[in-house]
Amino acid sequence: MITSGKGGVGKTTSSAAISSGLAMHGHKTAVIDFDIGLRNLDLIMNCERRVVYDFVNVINGEATLHQALIRDKRCDNLYILPASQTRDKDALTKEGVEKVLAELAADGFEFIICDSPAGIEHGAFMALYFADEAIVVANPEVSSVRDSDRILGILQSKSRRAENGERVAEHLLLSRYNAERVERGEMLGVEDVEEILATKLLGVIPECESVLKASNQGLPVIHDAQSRAGQAYKDAVARLLGNDVEQRFLTPEHKGFFQRLFRRSA
């Protein structure tokens, strides 16, 4: 699952980018929108006009999983299962979600990315309960980090793995990171967040205008190879797959003389 303690931290952007990145590595991947009533994943994946059936339709037996899955036009290995915009969040049941996840696994999907709603409401709990691994997306600010700590506590006490005496593997994805502001003491640094959450750092996504631009275009930012955010998501996916990739974008970008001169004259 990909989750966060509060909204607006880049969770759905991260779900779109990471699922795309896994598919780009050749892994058959499904990404499910658990935010019943407020779906956004289909917009970022640019498939909103192709939605016929949704997650709840499948759970209720009103459509088959294959009817509801939308194949991504950029990655042959990637499929999107959109949320319902018209149903109540209680439409998700443990039995129904488990059935869909089991069917995806039986169909050969190697990765199932659950894009969880923020916080601890019903849809978030449904995504959390079945998680084998969790990527917690946080901004480097106190309120976001505190809420993420709360989510991690629930994850290790309320999930199915917790019920079986096991732990859910945790990863920290720090988004909207501005190294210049960290240097000025206006934002928490990586070490501060790691110390508070005691969770392994998966990646740092730098604050970047390309993220908003890509979202508005319906393009997961990982496809933008020129953007720093796109490169950071590629690094994070590589680490998720077990590759040893050095962290980037942790220190301020020192501009050369001509870059500074151009900026002043702009």
Side-chain angles (χ1 to χ4, degrees):
M1 70 175 294
I2 296 182
T3 186
S4 65
K6 62 183 292 187
V9 300
K11 175 180 50 56
T12 298
T13 294
S14 297
S15 296
I18 289 171
S19 59
S20 296
L22 291 168
M24 289 159 69
H25 275 272
H27 298 284
K28 189 176 182 182
T29 304
V31 56
I32 306 175
D33 191 345
F34 273 76
D35 200 356
I36 306 301
L38 292 172
R39 75 178 186 219
N40 286 308
L41 181 66
D42 57 314
L43 292 172
I44 293 179
M45 303 297 292
N46 196 25
C47 65
E48 70 277 8
R49 299 190 181 195
R50 299 167 60 201
V51 176
V52 179
Y53 297 107
D54 57 52
F55 193 10
V56 175
N57 290 139
V58 179
I59 287 175
N60 291 342
E62 298 158 353
T64 67
L65 181 60
H66 288 285
Q67 286 175 316
L69 284 173
I70 300 171
R71 191 171 191 167
D72 187 72
K73 289 185 176 180
R74 302 177 194 87
C75 301
D76 288 340
N77 293 313
L78 179 60
Y79 294 79
I80 302 100
L81 183 56
S84 171
Q85 281 187 304
T86 58
R87 307 293 181 97
D88 188 83
K89 296 180 186 296
D90 291 335
L92 295 182
T93 63
K94 273 188 184 180
E95 297 76 16
V97 172
E98 185 173 26
K99 175 188 169 187
V100 172
L101 295 178
E103 193 172 342
L104 286 167
D107 207 21
F109 282 90
E110 299 171 74
F111 288 94
I112 303 169
I113 303 297
C114 301
D115 180 24
S116 168
I120 54 175
E121 48 95 340
H122 182 72
F125 179 75
M126 286 295 103
L128 174 153
Y129 182 76
F130 294 100
D132 295 310
E133 299 190 50
I135 297 173
V136 178
V137 183
N139 290 161
E141 57 181 62
V142 173
S143 62
S144 177
V145 174
R146 183 183 65 180
D147 289 348
S148 295
D149 189 45
R150 171 74 173 140
I151 289 292
L152 289 169
I154 294 172
L155 185 70
Q156 300 301 353
S157 61
K158 302 292 186 183
S159 64
R160 183 167 60 179
R161 279 185 167 255
E163 291 177 353
N164 294 331
E166 302 171 333
R167 286 186 64 83
V168 176
E170 301 172 356
H171 310 278
L172 169 64
L173 190 66
L174 204 53
S175 61
R176 295 180 181 169
Y177 193 81
N178 187 314
E180 287 81 9
R181 292 185 63 190
V182 172
E183 192 174 63
R184 295 196 299 266
E186 300 171 0
M187 185 176 277
L188 293 175
V190 169
E191 297 81 5
D192 302 319
V193 179
E194 283 186 297
E195 183 177 348
I196 295 168
L197 297 180
T199 302
K200 186 176 180 181
L201 182 67
L202 178 67
V204 171
I205 312 300
E207 196 170 42
C208 187
E209 291 180 3
S210 62
V211 174
L212 179 60
K213 181 181 176 182
S215 295
N216 287 335
Q217 292 176 338
L219 176 76
V221 72
I222 197 168
H223 290 288
D224 184 356
Q226 301 304 312
S227 79
R228 298 168 77 233
Q231 294 167 29
Y233 275 117
K234 284 186 177 180
D235 289 352
V237 170
R239 293 186 198 100
L240 193 62
L241 291 171
N243 298 307
D244 186 13
V245 180
E246 186 178 354
Q247 295 284 354
R248 295 191 280 171
F249 313 113
L250 302 183
T251 56
E253 184 181 10
H254 297 291
K255 301 186 185 307
F257 172 76
F258 288 106
Q259 286 177 297
R260 294 196 301 272
L261 185 66
F262 178 79
R263 192 171 183 179
R264 286 174 186 164
S265 62

